[in-house]
Structures are given as structure tokens and as C-alpha cells.
Amino acid sequence: MLKQSQMLIPTLREVPADAEIASHKLLLRAGMARQLASGIYTYLPLAIRTLHKIQAIVREEMNRAGAQELLMPAMQPAELWHQTGRWDVYGPELVRLQDRHERPFALGPTHEEVITSLVRDEINSYKKLPINLYQIQTKFRDEVRPRFGLIRCREFIMKDAYSFDTTQEGLDRNFQAMYDAYTRIFTRVGLNFRAVEADAGAIGGKGTYEFMALCEIGEDTIAYSEEGDFAANLEKAEVVYTPSAKPEGEVPAAQKVHTPDVRTIEQLTQALNVEAKKIIKSLIYRVDDQLVMVLVRGDHELNEVKLKNLYDATHVGMASEAELRELTGAPAGFVGPVGLDAKKVEIIADQFVQDVHDGIVGANETDYHLIHVAPGRDFAVSRFADLRNITEGDKCPRTGGAIKFARGVEVGHVFKLGTKYSQAMGATFLDENGRSQPMIMGCYGIGVSRTIAAVIEQNNDDDGIIWPVAVAPFHVHVIPVNVKVEEQRQASEQITEQLQRAGIEVLFDDRPERAGVKFKDADLIGLPLRITVSDKAAQEGTVEVRVRKNGENHVVKLDELVPTVKALLASIDHTGQELFGE
Amino acid sequence: MLKQSQMLIPTLREVPADAEIASHKLLLRAGMARQLASGIYTYLPLAIRTLHKIQAIVREEMNRAGAQELLMPAMQPAELWHQTGRWDVYGPELVRLQDRHERPFALGPTHEEVITSLVRDEINSYKKLPINLYQIQTKFRDEVRPRFGLIRCREFIMKDAYSFDTTQEGLDRNFQAMYDAYTRIFTRVGLNFRAVEADAGAIGGKGTYEFMALCEIGEDTIAYSEEGDFAANLEKAEVVYTPSAKPEGEVPAAQKVHTPDVRTIEQLTQALNVEAKKIIKSLIYRVDDQLVMVLVRGDHELNEVKLKNLYDATHVGMASEAELRELTGAPAGFVGPVGLDAKKVEIIADQFVQDVHDGIVGANETDYHLIHVAPGRDFAVSRFADLRNITEGDKCPRTGGAIKFARGVEVGHVFKLGTKYSQAMGATFLDENGRSQPMIMGCYGIGVSRTIAAVIEQNNDDDGIIWPVAVAPFHVHVIPVNVKVEEQRQASEQITEQLQRAGIEVLFDDRPERAGVKFKDADLIGLPLRITVSDKAAQEGTVEVRVRKNGENHVVKLDELVPTVKALLASIDHTGQELFGE
């Protein structure tokens, strides 16, 4: 019997000063975690119970998907990181140290190098592939700004998996198996999440999804549609263009207007009293070795990732002021496409620029803009493309429904690595024809400790946490109104034992505190059900069962308690799974 | 269904060159572990299954003993280690690093500092004590000589627990509860072990036991008695003295003999043709600030720990050659107690020196010894004490039976810390009278990864591992003689599924290898039972069940397979526990 008086559950009445978000506050206040150093936490007994439940779900679903568990070291020799070049590239986030012989090591922030060297050394034939290997392990990343409690830590618990295939189709299958497993995992732990298409960078293709728990405090913006399952990162979300009707009548000839010190879109809309969508922003970029002018409507934002992908470039950045002047003769704020030499600069435009028929651009002259500019007539565009960020109200590329924005915390990531690591480290296999080929890899991560925080972030109210049944530290909190009344204590203990025999996990609050204090702590800790044991237990044979999630109170006869508790837990459990085997 | 063809079980035919001991060889050969760097290992899927079983046993018994699980960070701020002074004392075994802000950290080799600071901050009243907190976690120790595979690693898995009490009696209770839990844990995992009294150093009392798995390769020598449960480290084992009868007749007067270059006991026994037990070794020690001559019989070894404890000293070391010469006028090898000035040096003796009636000692003159020396007559001894190492054949201090020696590997340690850490770090509580007192601590460790190695070390033969049922990666290995014969494959799959439905864990060797190769691998991996599926499965409805432990073969009818497998497993399981709930 787990008695609260004997357990380390140091609840706090006051809100800790440095905790900004709900999960951080509640992890501290409910006595689940304590910070040891910036971004480094101790998990107290309540948190351990939830952690184990999440880990069990992760293991079950990973095993079901055919992955095999192993455990790799945290200490990784620098030699491995030199083989992939990451020792030099990774920067100060990589925790580095030297052993007593001054040999350099990294504390693993991730394990591509270790797993690739292992598989390289142990597997060399297509007969032993595919394989998918995972671990649940402590990771180290020296974040520049650890914050938000368990959301962004320097030492944290991660599930990382790595698949090795002989063909792209094999990778696709493993990738899909992981995508499906992640969907089951995050559903089972009780998260409201979206699998979000993210930019795959140099690898390309539909090779990467981030699993985002939807929370206000998320650092990433997600574009999604309520119809269908479309969801994408801002940087990735495709914008669909349908041409709007061209207005009647001729566009007057372009005309230069004096706009002293008017440099921004906002200033321009005021100075000329026009809507932003009539203005064409002209941005000059250096794309690898080439200068490019990118045109975007004044009410839109350029998406640099799309620009980079359009050119398949490795580097994209704004041109310097000197380059700007040399090319256009004007400073930033007054440049435009009219009269530019197409040999010196390619002019490309977002597809929505096609909707601007009578527009405004910079005049390539300090303090002047051109009005009544018509694309095609006054300047040529070499190509139109999807180059802007999606906005709320845009059409969903799948369903045509309206796009909405949400913020999210990344709790999982599935990623097609391809042959980046296998080629760098020589992880090859002999195919059916005896030819040596690099293995084709995928990697798949889940932030296990972060998931605890995300679940709390989504499941709380002003009084505390509201645990989903599947990952609650206990199912039921048994609280005698006054534990010093012998009948109440006895009844509470009997109830605890009775529930435990039925496979229900019970925390018994045997502390000699006032009822109000105990109820406040119970709400804070947030177990799914609270059973209040008063004198009525002995006198009338009843107790009160309160559902944390909806505040419902049920007076329940003692001889119906076990089935009632089971039924109530089943009614609020989101997973619909069998809770208690018998 | 876990198919061996798809699992990462890279068995090796050859014995790895650098592996010296059985468990190290077998962990590598059975495809359970791979070294990443010196003393740093990856646990492969088979090892993970055993690791989880051992961890589950540890958790069950720790929880049963009333301990609570938490999880502390590996990265520990140096400030904490300065508070106890261990930052300066610990030496190069402590892995140290700096974060991006150049703040110093240690990677925890143990967690006294972290747990003491946590409990100090969260508990301040006797009402919340006692408490016992444990974790299963990865530890780091930069061993000067990592070796023996998982026995002596630089990164390893440990269970460490810390108890906090208000009284010495409370500590005694927690200590006993841990002693009992450890006894259950090591019994359940299948180890042949002894709880060995070890030296408690400055803390004293019966405050420390090491749980030693008995293995030839152990680095420590254990003295034990087969009658009763006495077992102790060499450094600790008490030697019982019963005086032997004094021989008849006078001892002749002491006489100086020329013994050129005869310095050691062995040389002396040859030069004078006497037994070693007639010689009295005279050793001069510096005990803190004092010079002490310690006399030990020539066939015995001085125990420096006992010497240190006798004087309650903090430092004990051999006197320098210069000190020796100044005191005696002779070099090492020729010093003795006769004629020494008791004001300059205290002369003490091991109690067995009382049995030497006509002995030989150094003459305090180069190249000379004295014979016919009688203690008491020729020199005075200020006190006799137990100062020597126990030897095989000595009397057990409990039962009087004969002492035997064994070698052991330390897999657990229970230790009374007292107030060392709580005083250094200010971990105090208010007692019933409102007075502030330091908490009284104990610490309790189990080498979890080392336990895997110890189990293998004790359970193997020339062919491979012989897993105890309780911690075997799987219970049963199902092997078709020829998997390409469709009937054999089908029968094997059906058998696997049938056993799994009954809760039995099965590894199905579906590899298209020759039967001999598969049998060799099966012996190497060492699952408790092997089921060989031949054509007889289809033709006669029988398979062959082989017991790895004793080599017994049983022809079993398919419709009796499940109960037979269960009965065979139960018959070889040492724990006598229910194996399969239904």
C-alpha cells in the first residue's frame, strides 16, 4: 500500500518564480520533478510512474512494428564523429569531454554514428536486412537556452530508432511502420497531436514528419486543415494558387512618385493609401553564387526554404547593401524589377504576384516608387513559383478547406536519412548479385521526457494536472476526510486493498492534514478519480467518487465500488483499451 | 514471433582475442554485447531482454522493501561535489566536463551529493522520515584499467539507493531491509553469492557488507565457512586465537647467527632449515605520527586494515629505509624487537606470535639474525591483537569450522554512511522537540550490468552460456532441422505460437543454416530449453526437447508439449516461483 505520508511527493502551494508554462509549474508544484542545474532535472517518484507507463507504451508499439531494442553508450569516441564530420559541425550543443588518457569523447545527443558503426561491423549481407534498432536512453544536448521545464532540457530521455534497408522501397516501408507506430504511441499516451510535414532539407522528398503536440506554448507554427489530416510546418506548407479574375480596363502607364523615406510596406500603404496586396515586394537574394530578385505580394512573406529548394541551393541569404546598390543604384526599400538587366539578375516571383495587375514597386532610385506597374508589360518574370509562407485562410492543398494555424511542441520525428551516414562510415552490404551497396537509413526519435510535459501541457486546469488514465501515476486517490478517525482510516485502507486486488493503482493519502489541504493536493496531482472516505463509509456504507476531468461527484455504495471505479475509468479513458486484465 | 533471421544476434565462432574471462568471451560470442571503446559497451537485443528481467527483479524487491524509485541526472554540478570535498578527493576516476558556459560538471559515479541535496531541500521534519530512495541509472567511472567485459566498465548500469533516518536504530532497520532485499534479488537472478563483511573504515561497526558472486576470476578473496553463513573479506575477517600448549623445557639463550644477504622469510627458512612459523617477522610502520613495530609469525601476513583500525588511524604506511636504520641501525630484513627502545617505538604483535616460544628474529645488525629468542624473556610486547590475514584452515569465528577461501566479484554493497554527507551538506531535520539534527544515511548499490556478467560467469560450460530460467533472454529455442522443408517450418511456427500463447518466451531460429550451425549457436546462446523440429513432427507428432543445463533429451508428443515445457522449466528453475500466470 503506497501511503502518501511516506512518499516523496513534495507539493508546493506557491507557483515557482522561474516557471513560465503550465507543465513546468505543475511538474514542480505536484512534486514530480526538481531542477538540479539549468535544464537538468531529477524525476521524483510520481514522475517515474508516468515515465514507466510511457516507456512501456513506446516499447510495445516499437516491438509490434518489428523494431528491436538495444542500448548504446552515452560516451561516444570522437573518432566516430570525425568519420561523419559532425565533430566539427555540431557546435557547442555537443557535450564534449576527455577521459583520463586525454582521449576526446562526446556525450551522445543522438546515435547515428554509434549505430552505423555497429551495423557496419555486424551486418554485411542483404540477407540480414532490413533491420530497425531502437533504444530508450538518456541524451545530452547543451542547449543555449534550456527552458520550459522538461520541454527543452540539456539532459533528457529519448527513444531513438534507426532503420537499415537495401532499397528505397524498404526504407519507405520502415518509415511508414514508424509513422504508424508513432501515431499509435501518441494516441495512447493521450496527446492531441498532428503529424506535420517538415522540410527534409538536402534529402528531399516526403522524407520527414514531425509529430507535434498542439500547445499554445509551442515554438513552432503548424498550418493545418480541420478537414482531412493535412498539417505542415510553416516552412514546408504548400500554397495552392488559383488565378483570380483579371479586372476590366487598361492599366495606366507606370508613373514615378516621390516617396521620401518610405521604405517598408506599412509605410507605403499609408503614404499612398493602398492595400498591401497591391504592392510588390522586391527582395534581392544571393542564392549560392547567383543574384536573384524575388517578388512577393506586399501582404505575403517570402519563405526562404522554398526559395532554397527551388534552386536546390546549399546557401541562401539576403544580398548585401553594396550588391543592392551596384545592381539597382538604389538602397533597400526602393529597389524594383523595372528596368533591371536580366543577365545580371534573374527575376522570379511568387505565384500570387500574378494577381497584381496595377501594382506598386520600388523605382530603383532613392525616395521614389513606381505606381501603375503591370507585370509582363513593365517587367518580365522568368518564373512563377510557390515561394511564400502559407497564411490562415489559405486553401488546404489536399481538401481545399481553410487553413488554420496552431502552435506545437515537437514530441517525435521520423526522418529518411538515405545514405548520408552509411556512405560516410562505409556501412555497406552485398546485394543479391554480390555488389557492395550503401545501406539506406531512416531515423526515428521520440522525446520521452518531453512527452510527459506535453501531456501535462494539454491536460490541466487552474487547480492542477488532469491525467489521462493511460499515463496517470496512479488511477485513484483515496482520501479520508479525517485520518485520525479510526473508522475512516480502516475503511480507507480496506478500500485501497480492495481496489489494488482488482488491478487498480491507488495512492492512499494517510497524512494527518485538513481535508481542504488534501483535496487541493489531490487536484494538483490530478489522478483520474478521487475517493473521499467520510463517516458515511461506516455509517451508510458509501463513499464519494469524484472524476477529476469533469468534476462529477458520485455517491457509491462500498459493495459496488470496484465495478463503479472500473466503469468510470473506462468512461474517461481515451484509448478504449482494456484497462484491467483479470 | 521473434525470428532469429531478423534479429541482431551476431554470434561468433572464434574466441575474441582480447577477452580473458568466460563471461566476456560469451557476451561477445553469443552476440549479446559489443565494445564501443575501452570499458564502454553496447547491449544487443538478447542482453536487453536479460537486463530488463534483472531490472524488474530489482524493482520488485526494492519496492517490496519500501524503497521509492526516482531518477537523478548523470550531469552533476561541481558545486555539489565541493560541498562534500569529493571534487578534490575523487581523482581521475571522476569524469569531469565543462558546459558551454565553462561551468564544471561531473558525470555521476554515484549520487550521494545529489540525493542529499534533494532530501535536504524537500524534507525537514522527522514526520517525513525515514525514507529510502533508489534509481536504476547509468554511471560513469573512468577506471584506470577497464577489463573483463561487463565486470569492470567505465559506463555501466547501477541500482543505487539512499536511506535517510532520524536514529541509528532506524538506519539499522533500513540497512537490514536492504540486506534482506539484496539476498532475495541475488537469489532470484540465480547467483551463487555470499554477503561478506567488509571493512567499514572510519565508520566502524557492522556497517558494511559486500555481496560477492563467487567466481574464480574475482579480484577479491573471501574467507568463508561452509557451516553457517560466515563470510568476510580478507581485510575484515576476524581470526580467532586459542593458545597452543607450551612445549617442555627451557629455551636456550638467544644467539646471534651470521646470515649474509638472508632477508626474506623464505631465504631464512632455507638458510636455517626451520619452518616459517618459528620466525617472527618484524615490520616497522608509521601509524599517523607514531613509529610502531609490528610482529607477525613468519607464516602469516600482516593485515594493514586491522593495524589501522587498532590505532583508529587515518594513515598507515611502511616506515622509510632511513627511519628503519635510524631506529635499529640495520636495513630491512635484519631488524628485530630485541634491544629496541620502547620510548622510540611501540612493539605490538599479532596474537599468534604468543605461540612462538623459541623463535628467530632480526638482530638489528646487517647480515645477522638471533635464534633461540623467547618473547617476554628477550623482548617485551606492549599488546597482542588480531593483526593478520585469515588463512585457509583457520577457525571460523562463528562456528569454529574450517575457513575456506573463494574469489568473488562484488555485485552489491550495503553501507552505513552515518552523517558524513548530511553534515557536510546541511541535510538536517527537526526532531520531536524542535531540535535540528543531521539525518543518518545509508547507501546501497547493485551493479546491474555487472550482474549479467556474474550470472554468465557462474553458468556456462565449454559450449556456451547456461541461463537460469529467471533471467534467460528467452525460455525456449525452437529449431527446425531444415527450415526449407515446408512441414518443418510450419510445425515450428505453430509450436512457437502455441508456446507463446501459454506465456513462454520463444526464439525461433528460422535461418537457412545447417542444423549443426544452429545447434552450436543454440548452445552458445544457452536458452534453458531447445526444441528440435524434424520430419517426425509431421510424421509421428513428436519433437525433441533438450535441457541445456543437463543435456537431457526428451521426445515429446506435440499435444503434451506445453505442459511438458512448463514442467521442465519449473524443474530447472532455482527460484521455485510461479513462472507463468494464466
Side-chain angles (χ1 to χ4, degrees), chain A residues 529-542:
Chain A
L529 300 182
R530 183 184 92 194
I531 299 180
T532 307
V533 180
S534 69
D535 287 336
K536 288 186 184 165
Q539 290 162 7
E540 300 170 20
T542 61

Side-chain angles (χ1 to χ4, degrees), chain B residues 48 73 105 157 193 201 224 270 276 280 285 315 333 408 412 430 477 483 496:
Chain B
I48 288 292
F105 283 83
I157 302 167
F193 70 97
Y224 72 100
Q270 289 172 0
I280 299 172
Y285 270 80
H315 184 76
L430 294 178
H477 213 148
V483 76
T496 299

Side-chain angles (χ1 to χ4, degrees), chain B residues 331-394:
Chain B
F334 301 101
V335 305
V338 179
L340 283 195
D341 181 352
K343 286 176 202 146
K344 289 188 183 158
V345 61
E346 185 183 4
I347 299 175
I348 65 172
D350 177 66
Q351 49 197 355
F352 284 81
V353 171
Q354 298 171 81
D355 287 354
V356 185
H357 304 288
D358 179 352
I360 297 161
V361 300
N364 292 328
E365 190 179 338
T366 305
D367 291 346
Y368 286 94
H369 281 82
L370 296 175
I371 62 175
H372 301 313
V373 171
R377 183 191 73 180
D378 296 318
F379 61 91
V381 170
S382 75
R383 45 181 167 162
F384 290 95
D386 174 15
L387 287 170
R388 69 165 171 94
N389 283 334
I390 203 165
T391 60
E392 281 192 291
D394 272 334

